[in-house]
C-alpha cells in the first residue's frame, strides 16, 4: 500500500511539472472549456496520462508555485479517511487493551491457581505420609497385640499350671497339718505325763501367770503377733530351744566395734562416769577396766540421759540377738555393743563392786512412749552365790516389777536356781533372776507389735507396764555410781 501511494505521488508530481512547463512557455492556465476551444484554433501542447484510479492516502505533492485548485479537496478526504482509520485503530487499541486486561486477570488467576495447586499438592503429600505412617503404626500395633495375646495365653496356661500345683500343695499341706496336729496332741500328752512324773504334788507343773493387769495397755490390744526374735540372717529361732550353735563371746572386747562407736583411744576408764568426767560427752562405745581386774571391757556409755555417765549392760531393741542361751554365754557376755547385747555377769559383777551404784531400767512401748524404773542401789554377788541380785528402793513411773526378784540368783536353761519346781528359763525363754517365775522377763523373746500370743509369758514384759502378755519394743538396763 505504501509503495502504491508513493508511485501515485510521483506521477502527480511529474504531471504538475509538465503543466507548469507548458504554461510558462505559452500563456496562463485556462479553464477546461477554454482549453477545448483553443485546441481547435491553435495547436498547443497537450498531454495524456494513464494513471490507475486509486485512493490517495499519503501526502500530496504540490508545486512550488502555489496551491492547486484540487489540493484542498484531496486533503479533506484524506483527513476524514485518516480520522476514520484512526478512530477504528483507537477502537481496536481499546479492544486490544480490554483483551489485554482480561488476559492479565486470567494470568493472575492462573498464577493463584498454580500456587494453590502447589499448596494442595504439598498438603496431599503430607496427608499421604501421615496416612502411610498411620498404616505402619497400626500394623505395628497389630503385631504388638498379637504378641500380647500370645503372652496372655502363655501366662494363662502358666496360671492354670500353678493353680493345679497350688491345689496339690494345699492337699499336701492339709495332710501335713493333720499330721502335725496329731503329733502336737501326742507331744502335749507326753509332756503332761513327763511333768507329772518329775513334779512334786504340792507345786504346779507350769509357772503361774503374772496377775498384775495394768489399767491401760500401751499398744493396740487388737493386734496380736507370734513373730519372734531373729538373728542377723533373719533366721527365726523356734521357741523352746536354746541357741547353742553359736559359740559364746569370750569377752565383750572380742565383739567387733562399729565404726561410729569408737570415739576415742583414751582409757581404759573405770566406768562411764569417769569417761564423762574426762570430757567425753558423746554416747558410744568406750574401753573400761574394773578395779582389781586385768580384763578389758568394751561397753556402751550413755551420756544423753540424766547428765550422762551411765554404763549400759543390757539392751534389747530389734530382736537381732537370741537371748535364749546357756550359763556360760550369760557369764561371758554376747551380742553387739552397738545393737542388742548382754555385757556378761562377770563384767557386771566386777563393775558394780567398785563403788555404790544405782540401777536405771528404761523401757519403751510400741507407741513410742518411754518410762523408767530406778533403784537406789544395785550389785551382784559372786558366781559361787549364783550372781544373786541385790537392789535398793524403787522410784519412777514404770511401776516396780523388779523388787520381787531381789535376792534371787541368776537362772539359765542349764543352771536352774529359781524357786519354781520347773525351770523358769525354759518357760520364759531367757536367763534372768527368776523367782517363781516373776514379774518381769527382760531377756525373753522379742515379739513385734506389743500384745502377743503364747502358751507361756515368754516375751519381754514388765508386769506393771503392759502386763505379762505385752512384749516391749526396747529395754535398757544401766548403772552409775551414786552421787
Amino acid at each position: 500500500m505504501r509503495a502504491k501511494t508513493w508511485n501515485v505521488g510521483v506521477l502527480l508530481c511529474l504531471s504538475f511539472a509538465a503543466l507548469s512547463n507548458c504554461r510558462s512557455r505559452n500563456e496562463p492556465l485556462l479553464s477546461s472549456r477554454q482549453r477545448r476551444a483553443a485546441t481547435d484554433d491553435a495547436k498547443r501542447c497537450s498531454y495524456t496520462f494513464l494513471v490507475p484510479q486509486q485512493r490517495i492516502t499519503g501526502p500530496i505533492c504540490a508545486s512550488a508555485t502555489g496551491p492547486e485548485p484540487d489540493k484542498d479537496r484531496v486533503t479533506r478526504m484524506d483527513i476524514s479517511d485518516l480520522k476514520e482509520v484512526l478512530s477504528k485503530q483507537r477502537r481496536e487499541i481499546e479492544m486490544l487493551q480490554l483483551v489485554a486486561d482480561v488476559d492479565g486477570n486470567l494470568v493472575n488467576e492462573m498464577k493463584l491457581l498454580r500456587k494453590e495447586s502447589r499448596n494442595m499438592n504439598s498438603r496431599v503429600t503430607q496427608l499421604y505420609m501421615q496416612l502411610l505412617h498411620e498404616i505402619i503404626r497400626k500394623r505395628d500395633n497389630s503385631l504388638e497385640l498379637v504378641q500380647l495375646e500370645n503372652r496372655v495365653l502363655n501366662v494363662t496356661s502358666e496360671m492354670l499350671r500353678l493353680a493345679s500345683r497350688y491345689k496339690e500343695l494345699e492337699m499336701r499341706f492339709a495332710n501335713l497339718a493333720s499330721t502335725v496336729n496329731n503329733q502336737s496332741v501326742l507331744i502335749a500328752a507326753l509332756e503332761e505325763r513327763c511333768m507329772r512324773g518329775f513334779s512334786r504334788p504340792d507345786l504346779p507343773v507350769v509357772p503361774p501367770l503374772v496377775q498384775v493387769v495394768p489399767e491401760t495397755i500401751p499398744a493396740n490390744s487388737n493386734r496380736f503377733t507370734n513373730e519372734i526374735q531373729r538373728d542377723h540372717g533373719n533366721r527365726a529361732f523356734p521357741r523352746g530351744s536354746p541357741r547353742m550353735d553359736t559359740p559364746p563371746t569370750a569377752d565383750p572386747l572380742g565383739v567387733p566395734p562399729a565404726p561410729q562407736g569408737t570415739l576415742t583411744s583414751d582409757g581404759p576408764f573405770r566406768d562411764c562416769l569417769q569417761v564423762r568426767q574426762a570430757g567425753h560427752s558423746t554416747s558410744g562405745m568406750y574401753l573400761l577396766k574394773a578395779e582389781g581386774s586385768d580384763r578389758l571391757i568394751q561397753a556402751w556409755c550413755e551420756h544423753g540421759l540424766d547428765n550422762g555417765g551411765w554404763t549400759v549392760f543390757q539392751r534389747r531393741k530389734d530382736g537381732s540377738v537370741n537371748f535364749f542361751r546357756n550359763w556360760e554365754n550369760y557369764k561371758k557376755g554376747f551380742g553387739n555393743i552397738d545393737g542388742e547385747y548382754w555385757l556378761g555377769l562377770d563384767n557386771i559383777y566386777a563393775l558394780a563392786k567398785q563403788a555404790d551404784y544405782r540401777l536405771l531400767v528404761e523401757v519403751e512401748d510400741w507407741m513410742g512412749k518411754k518410762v523408767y524404773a530406778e533403784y537406789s542401789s544395785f550389785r551382784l554377788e559372786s558366781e559361787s552365790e549364783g550372781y544373786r541380785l541385790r537392789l535398793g528402793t524403787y522410784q519412777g513411773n514404770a511401776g516396780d516389777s523388779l523388787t520381787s526378784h531381789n535376792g534371787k540368783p541368776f537362772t539359765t536353761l542349764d543352771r536352774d536356781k529359781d524357786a519354781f519346781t520347773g525351770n523358769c528359763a525354759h518357760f520364759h525363754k531367757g536367763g534372768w533372776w527368776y523367782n517363781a517365775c516373776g514379774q518381769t522377763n527382760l531377756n525373753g523373746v522379742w515379739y513385734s507389735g506389743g500384745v502377743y500370743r503364747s502358751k507361756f509369758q515368754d516375751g519381754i514384759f514388765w508386769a506393771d507396764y503392759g502386763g505379762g502378755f505385752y512384749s516391749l519394743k526396747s529395754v535398757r538396763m544401766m548403772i552409775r555410781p551414786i552421787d
Side-chain angles (χ1 to χ4, degrees):
M1 180 67 71
R2 184 174 298 175
K4 291 179 180 181
T5 305
W6 177 258
N7 293 329
V8 172
V10 171
L11 292 175
L12 291 175
C13 291
L14 293 175
S15 62
F16 285 129
L19 291 175
S20 60
N21 291 329
C22 291
R23 283 190 304 179
S24 61
R25 288 184 294 173
N26 296 304
E27 55 185 7
L29 186 60
L30 300 176
S31 65
S32 59
R33 293 179 179 177
Q34 292 175 352
R35 282 198 304 270
R36 290 191 196 104
T39 55
D40 296 333
D41 297 335
K43 298 295 183 180
R44 298 181 180 176
C45 62
S46 61
Y47 300 92
T48 301
F49 296 94
L50 296 177
V51 180
Q53 185 178 359
Q54 292 180 356
R55 179 177 295 178
I56 300 173
T57 57
I60 298 173
C61 184
S63 63
T65 58
E68 297 291 336
D70 295 332
K71 179 66 175 177
D72 293 336
R73 181 179 57 84
V74 174
T75 301
R76 283 193 299 269
M77 291 174 61
D78 292 336
I79 289 174
S80 61
D81 293 337
L82 183 60
K83 287 182 179 181
E84 184 179 355
V85 172
L86 290 177
S87 62
K88 184 178 180 180
Q89 290 180 353
R90 186 179 295 108
R91 286 192 302 269
E92 291 178 356
I93 291 172
E94 290 176 356
M95 183 64 67
L96 292 174
Q97 186 175 3
L98 181 60
V99 172
D101 294 338
V102 173
D103 292 342
N105 294 332
L106 291 176
V107 170
N108 293 332
E109 291 180 0
M110 288 297 295
K111 290 182 179 178
L112 292 176
L113 289 175
R114 188 177 298 173
K115 184 176 181 181
E116 291 179 358
S117 177
R118 288 196 297 268
N119 295 335
M120 290 299 293
N121 290 334
S122 62
R123 179 60 179 168
V124 168
T125 304
Q126 184 179 2
L127 292 175
Y128 176 76
M129 295 301 296
Q130 291 179 357
L131 180 60
L132 183 62
H133 179 72
E134 188 69 19
I135 292 172
I136 296 173
R137 188 180 65 83
K138 288 185 176 180
R139 186 185 62 183
D140 295 339
N141 290 338
S142 63
L143 294 176
E144 292 179 358
L145 181 61
V146 171
Q147 294 176 358
L148 183 60
E149 289 178 352
N150 293 333
R151 291 176 60 185
V152 169
L153 292 176
N154 295 334
V155 172
T156 303
S157 61
E158 184 69 16
M159 288 179 62
L160 294 176
R161 189 183 66 81
L162 291 177
S164 62
R165 179 63 177 168
Y166 178 73
K167 290 181 180 179
E168 295 177 0
L169 292 177
E170 277 188 338
M171 295 177 62
R172 294 180 61 184
F173 177 76
N175 296 332
L176 291 176
S178 62
T179 304
V180 170
N181 290 333
N182 296 334
Q183 291 179 353
S184 299
V185 173
L186 180 61
I187 291 172
L190 292 175
E191 284 182 349
E192 185 177 358
R193 291 177 60 185
C194 183
M195 295 300 295
R196 286 177 181 177
F198 289 97
S199 62
R200 293 179 298 180
D202 56 339
L203 291 177
V205 295
V206 294
L209 299 178
V210 173
Q211 300 300 321
V212 177
V213 179
E215 296 181 358
T216 58
I217 297 178
N220 186 2
S221 60
N222 294 327
R223 180 180 180 182
F224 295 91
T225 179
N226 285 330
E227 183 179 349
I228 63 175
Q229 65 190 37
R230 301 178 182 273
D231 63 3
H232 289 292
N234 292 328
R235 180 162 49 90
F237 298 104
R239 294 195 300 269
S241 60
R243 174 79 179 274
M244 296 297 185
D245 55 339
T246 303
T249 304
D251 192 285
L253 183 59
V255 179
Q260 67 271 20
T262 304
L263 300 177
T264 179
S265 60
D266 297 345
F269 302 95
R270 191 178 85 164
D271 53 23
C272 288
L273 180 61
Q274 192 177 42
V275 173
R276 178 71 176 181
Q277 292 171 348
H280 302 287
S281 60
T282 303
S283 300
M285 290 181 288
Y286 292 88
L287 196 61
L288 308 180
K289 182 179 180 183
E291 293 179 354
S293 175
D294 57 353
R295 176 180 299 175
L296 296 176
I297 304 170
Q298 193 174 24
W300 186 275
C301 293
E302 178 59 48
H303 298 307
L305 183 66
D306 192 18
N307 296 323
W310 294 95
T311 303
V312 180
F313 67 86
Q314 189 262 15
R315 178 163 57 192
R316 308 293 302 277
K317 66 176 185 176
D318 55 13
S320 59
V321 176
N322 183 17
F323 273 66
F324 192 18
R325 296 175 180 258
N326 58 14
W327 178 269
E328 192 66 21
N329 276 227
Y330 272 99
K331 177 182 176 181
K332 298 299 182 181
F334 55 86
N336 302 306
I337 300 299
D338 59 340
E340 289 193 340
Y341 78 99
W342 175 261
L343 190 61
L345 292 170
D346 263 355
N347 296 327
I348 299 171
Y349 167 73
L351 290 173
K353 73 176 183 179
Q354 297 181 111
D356 294 332
Y357 283 80
R358 56 186 174 131
L359 172 67
L360 179 64
V361 181
E362 180 190 67
V363 300
E364 180 185 5
D365 60 28
W366 287 90
M367 302 297 290
K369 180 181 179 181
K370 292 183 179 181
V371 293
Y372 74 97
E374 186 175 357
Y375 296 87
S376 59
S377 64
F378 169 84
R379 66 182 180 88
L380 299 181
E381 295 185 3
S382 63
E383 184 180 8
S384 60
E385 296 293 328
Y387 297 107
R388 194 178 301 272
L389 177 65
R390 298 298 182 184
L391 290 175
T393 58
Y394 159 81
Q395 66 174 357
N397 59 358
D400 185 10
S401 295
L402 192 58
T403 298
S404 61
H405 299 259
N406 189 22
K408 304 304 180 208
F410 201 85
T411 294
T412 60
L413 185 65
D414 56 339
R415 296 282 182 95
D416 186 5
K417 297 179 181 296
D418 55 49
F420 181 59
T421 182
N423 190 334
C424 291
H426 167 74
F427 294 103
H428 290 282
K429 309 299 183 296
W432 194 250
W433 297 278
Y434 291 112
N435 190 346
C437 286
Q439 299 295 104
T440 182
N441 186 37
L442 300 186
N443 287 340
V445 180
W446 188 88
Y447 287 99
S448 174
V451 178
Y452 64 96
R453 289 176 176 173
S454 179
K455 185 177 181 180
F456 306 107
Q457 293 173 328
D458 53 2
I460 304 173
F461 68 86
W462 187 268
D464 287 86
Y465 188 75
F469 284 102
Y470 183 86
S471 185
L472 298 166
K473 181 180 180 181
S474 65
V475 177
R476 289 194 301 177
M477 300 180 70
M478 56 195 88
I479 58 175
R480 188 176 71 175
I482 299 174
D483 298 335

